[in-house]
Amino acid sequence: MDKIIVFQTFYNPIEANIVKSRLMDAGIQCFLSDENTITINPLYTQALGGVKLHLFERDVEDAKSILKDENVEIDLEEIEGAEVCPNCGSTNVGYVQATKKRFGIFTVIVSVLLAVYPFHAKKTYHCFNCEHEF
Ligand SMILES: [Zn+2]
């Protein structure tokens, strides 16, 4: 019998779903528990110990390598986002929501996973050197 284990625990249901979708896409069967309760009332997160991602013990190594690859992709996406300001030539450039950059990346990933691109049109760069937006 294959043993089912708790692979990872998340305090953010969105992050849990991203990881779950990524593993499902790769053909690894997994499921979340306590997800709905936490989505409805985030205050329960601590009490329940977070959203738990379960999968077969035999898939643990595969899951780890898949998620490792995924992290690399996220980093590349971040690097590709680096542009040069056409106004002053500075490379100190980022998305307008730079202060919420982590959330911005999550939003992009969710959009990609859902195969919709609601934020694509809002892709605006901001130069931190001269405040120029392009
Ligand atoms: Zn500039």
Side-chain angles (χ1 to χ4, degrees):
M1 280 294 277
D2 283 311
K3 197 176 158 191
I4 293 174
I5 59 151
V6 176
F7 177 66
Q8 213 172 332
T9 305
F10 303 90
Y11 289 97
N12 181 344
I14 296 170
E15 190 180 358
N17 272 294
I18 290 168
V19 173
K20 181 193 161 195
S21 302
R22 188 70 191 84
L23 294 176
M24 295 288 274
D25 283 351
I28 292 181
Q29 291 188 27
C30 57
F31 65 93
L32 301 174
S33 63
D34 295 331
E35 180 204 357
N36 292 334
T37 315
I38 287 166
T39 305
I40 293 162
N41 190 344
L43 293 176
Y44 288 160
T45 303
Q46 292 293 343
L48 293 169
V51 179
K52 289 175 274 299
L53 178 70
H54 304 258
L55 50 73
F56 287 115
E57 195 168 30
R58 64 180 149 88
D59 289 332
V60 166
E61 289 309 314
D62 285 345
K64 278 180 185 169
S65 65
I66 287 161
L67 295 177
K68 204 176 157 194
D69 291 347
E70 180 70 5
N71 285 337
V72 171
E73 280 175 32
I74 291 167
D75 287 339
L76 286 176
E77 202 170 345
E78 208 167 356
I79 292 162
E80 281 168 13
E83 295 285 337
V84 177
C85 174
N87 194 41
C88 70
S90 170
T91 52
N92 190 13
V93 166
Y95 290 111
V96 176
Q97 309 93 320
T99 51
K100 293 178 182 173
K101 203 165 184 183
R102 250 188 97 74
F103 177 75
I105 291 165
F106 270 132
T107 308
V108 169
I109 295 166
V110 170
S111 302
V112 169
L113 287 174
L114 297 177
V116 292
Y117 302 90
F119 298 95
H120 194 73
K122 293 180 184 174
K123 199 173 175 182
T124 307
Y125 291 99
H126 179 91
C127 175
F128 297 103
N129 194 41
C130 71
E131 305 297 317
H132 180 65
E133 285 183 1
F134 56 101

